Amino acid sequence: MRERPTVLVVDRESDAVRSLITFLRDHDYDVVWARDGETAFHALDEARVDGMIAVLQGPRIDGLAVLRHAIARSPELCAVMIAEPGDGGTGLLALQQGATDIQRPPLHPERLRIVLARGLAHQRLAARVDEMRETLDERFGLEHLVGLSPAFALVVEQVRHVASSRAPVLIQGETGTGKSLIARALHQAGARRDERFVWVSLGAVADEVVEQDLFGVEQGAGGSSARRGRLESADGGTLFLDRIDEAPPSVQIRLLRVLRDREFERVFGENARRVDVRIVAATYRDLVIEAAAGRFRPDLLQRLGSVVIRVPPLRERREDIPLLAETFLRDLNREHNRRVKGLTRGVLERLMRHAWPGNVRELRSTLEGMIVFAQGRRLLDLSDLPAGWKDAAADEDALHMSVGMTLEEAERRLLEATLRQTGFDKPRAASLLGIGLRTLYRKIQRYGIR
């Protein structure tokens, strides 16, 4: 149930004020009554106030001073000021300083209720916008680019330096390395963070559609109405062009003009339109090779390639796998309502040895498949790995014996293989070996198994 909003009433004692307070309480408002300015200041400092109704001038009441204090504490406060017939200039000043409305006595309760309702709705919307901004910062902020390896630390540092500029950025990296996440972080860390981030995948639609989708269509073309393109939608913000290497030649020419002159024309249009947009492009191909082969314009590459950020594949930043896995487990537990505590040592070792052709995206997908089928509050072990992984793990963990091997060497290999298979879960390993836990610890120490 939503809390009742609190309204501060600042006015001297009178029958009209008592009637106003009764009206507000009957319409689900909590009311704090301040009979002078000092009491009003104290109420604003001590309690959460959602709305305020205050006289501009009264005995021991400086309404403008109370208004300034209220707005300083809560910029989105719904403040209705009551002005006497001769207070026109003061009322205008109150509006300039943040008042929502000016009303004259006698007050009309229904009008007052409508103003309060609209003001509180605006408050909730502003709070929601702030919440969404915090969520975006949490999901796409620099501090949430996960990785401590030198290769990835370089990427984060590049994003930090480049974010505040308006220069176009080219992000290069294999499929699944997180190029779109880097693009989002560039937008979120820059001056355009409160404007739109528009994502266009140039390889997702047919060539003849890309141009109209990106640049829009002029009115009357083919009997159709005018339509804005993604470029205009991103005006003031960031346009992310994923798979830029697949841009048709006609689109490449138009993009070159946007980067050079900051203007464009709609498809079938003749009038140039100005646009203020930062372009961030991404590709998994080497555009130098593409340009040499005639598939990409060298002049466009020159404009786009002034700032290049290379995102390393996961195999070049294996030391980030434990931290990435921990982050994904936390997010996936929340998403799928699971209680997985973590990974056994054996699973983590398998993750560290994997080639990861699909990079970070493959890592997250693998962990998601394991978590979905996990039951209870426990660690994921080797038995939770995908079927293909289990077969590979079985080959790796097979116990190889040879004639002439000593019993001690055979026992050591058996202990190592069992511990790997159980993810170094010692109670479980002891149970599989048919020995006591203290005996297992003694043998681990004897053979120096780590």
Side-chain angles (χ1 to χ4, degrees):
M1 181 181 297
R2 180 179 294 169
E3 291 185 18
R4 287 160 56 105
T6 299
V7 176
L8 172 64
V9 175
V10 186
D11 199 353
R12 65 184 184 277
E13 191 164 350
S14 68
D15 290 340
V17 173
R18 291 193 187 91
S19 297
L20 171 63
I21 292 173
T22 300
F23 174 82
L24 292 172
R25 286 173 174 160
D26 288 345
H27 286 80
D28 293 326
Y29 291 99
D30 288 332
V31 180
V32 177
W33 185 6
R35 295 168 176 81
D36 55 55
E38 183 179 351
T39 307
F41 273 82
H42 181 75
L44 289 167
D45 290 336
E46 296 296 324
R48 179 184 65 82
V49 174
D50 304 294
M52 182 176 75
I53 303 170
V55 293
L56 274 170
Q57 294 180 357
R60 298 168 56 200
I61 297 175
D62 181 349
L64 285 178
V66 173
L67 174 64
R68 285 193 294 270
H69 189 70
I71 295 298
R73 294 193 63 82
S74 179
E76 304 298 335
L77 180 77
C78 177
V80 179
M81 308 303 291
I82 305 170
E84 296 294 336
D87 293 340
T90 310
L92 179 61
L93 188 58
L95 288 172
Q96 292 172 342
Q97 295 186 2
T100 306
D101 191 26
I102 303 295
Q103 297 193 16
R104 300 189 184 281
L107 297 178
H108 298 280
E110 193 59 28
R111 176 186 170 185
L112 186 62
R113 185 189 67 80
I114 292 172
V115 172
L116 283 173
R118 287 179 178 173
L120 293 176
H122 173 76
Q123 247 182 47
R124 289 192 293 271
L125 178 61
R128 178 60 179 152
V129 169
D130 288 341
E131 182 183 330
M132 290 173 66
R133 183 179 292 118
E134 290 175 5
T135 300
L136 286 172
D137 286 341
E138 182 178 333
R139 291 184 61 190
F140 303 116
L142 286 175
E143 65 275 16
H144 293 281
L145 292 177
V146 179
L148 299 174
S149 64
F152 196 70
L154 175 61
V155 172
V156 175
E157 192 61 25
Q158 287 176 321
V159 171
R160 194 186 310 277
H161 280 291
V162 174
S164 59
S165 77
R166 60 186 299 173
V169 178
L170 178 62
I171 305 172
Q172 292 183 319
E174 296 178 7
T175 300
T177 51
K179 298 185 292 296
S180 62
L181 189 64
I182 299 300
R184 280 277 193 181
L186 279 167
H187 174 76
Q188 202 62 25
R192 299 170 184 260
R193 64 193 300 267
D194 293 328
E195 303 298 334
R196 295 193 67 185
F197 178 90
V198 178
W199 183 344
V200 181
S201 180
L202 297 176
V205 292
D207 288 358
E208 58 271 17
V209 178
V210 170
E211 196 170 1
Q212 296 184 17
D213 183 54
L214 192 53
F215 299 99
V217 182
E218 196 55 270
Q219 186 173 7
S224 63
S225 59
R227 187 175 75 249
R228 292 202 318 168
R230 303 290 187 91
L231 181 62
E232 285 179 84
S233 296
D235 192 19
T238 301
L239 178 66
F240 176 46
L241 301 174
D242 197 11
R243 299 168 70 175
I244 185 67
D245 51 280
E246 299 193 31
S250 59
V251 170
Q252 293 185 34
I253 294 173
R254 286 176 175 270
L255 285 174
L256 180 62
R257 183 182 179 190
V258 171
L259 289 168
R260 185 185 60 218
D261 304 325
R262 295 191 175 275
E263 64 180 28
F264 72 101
E265 295 167 358
R266 288 178 175 175
V267 177
F268 305 122
E270 297 179 355
N271 298 323
R273 296 172 179 268
R274 298 287 297 176
V275 67
D276 174 24
V277 65
R278 183 183 198 177
I279 292 181
V280 178
T283 179
Y284 66 92
R285 291 192 173 109
D286 188 332
L287 292 187
V288 174
I289 294 176
E290 295 298 300
R295 292 186 292 268
F296 200 82
R297 293 182 65 94
D299 47 3
L300 178 58
L301 174 58
Q302 187 177 14
R303 293 276 179 178
L304 279 176
S306 57
V307 177
V308 179
I309 296 177
R310 178 185 176 273
V311 187
L314 190 53
R315 62 181 176 276
E316 292 182 9
R317 46 180 294 221
R318 292 183 184 276
E319 57 267 52
D320 290 334
I321 290 176
L323 184 57
L324 285 165
E326 179 183 336
T327 302
F328 290 151
L329 286 177
R330 183 176 61 249
D331 294 343
L332 292 167
N333 268 331
R334 188 183 308 116
E335 183 176 339
H336 297 292
N337 194 28
R338 294 293 187 267
R339 297 183 298 163
V340 171
K341 294 167 56 179
L343 306 173
T344 63
R345 179 173 166 182
V347 170
L348 188 56
E349 286 184 349
R350 288 287 297 119
L351 297 181
M352 295 290 287
R353 291 198 300 268
H354 189 62
W356 298 115
N359 294 294
V360 178
R361 184 185 301 159
E362 183 187 356
L363 173 61
R364 189 185 191 281
S365 178
T366 299
L367 291 172
E368 184 170 29
M370 297 168 69
I371 279 182
V372 166
F373 289 104
Q375 299 293 325
R377 185 178 178 84
R378 65 177 180 85
L379 297 173
L380 294 176
D381 58 32
L382 291 171
S383 66
D384 296 300
L385 287 170
W389 285 54
K390 293 176 186 177
D391 296 339
D395 291 339
E396 289 181 7
D397 295 336
L399 185 60
H400 301 286
M401 300 278 187
S402 60
V403 176
M405 181 184 296
T406 65
L407 286 174
E408 284 192 349
E409 178 63 16
E411 184 178 53
R412 183 185 66 79
R413 291 192 183 186
L414 177 60
L415 289 171
E416 288 177 336
T418 306
L419 286 166
R420 283 198 305 270
Q421 178 65 31
T422 59
F424 284 78
D425 182 338
K426 295 180 180 64
R428 187 177 172 195
S431 176
L432 288 174
L433 291 166
I435 60 177
L437 186 58
R438 292 178 62 185
T439 301
L440 177 61
Y441 273 108
R442 189 167 62 250
K443 290 180 180 294
I444 289 173
Q445 184 176 9
R446 175 185 175 186
Y447 293 119
I449 298 173
R450 296 288 184 269

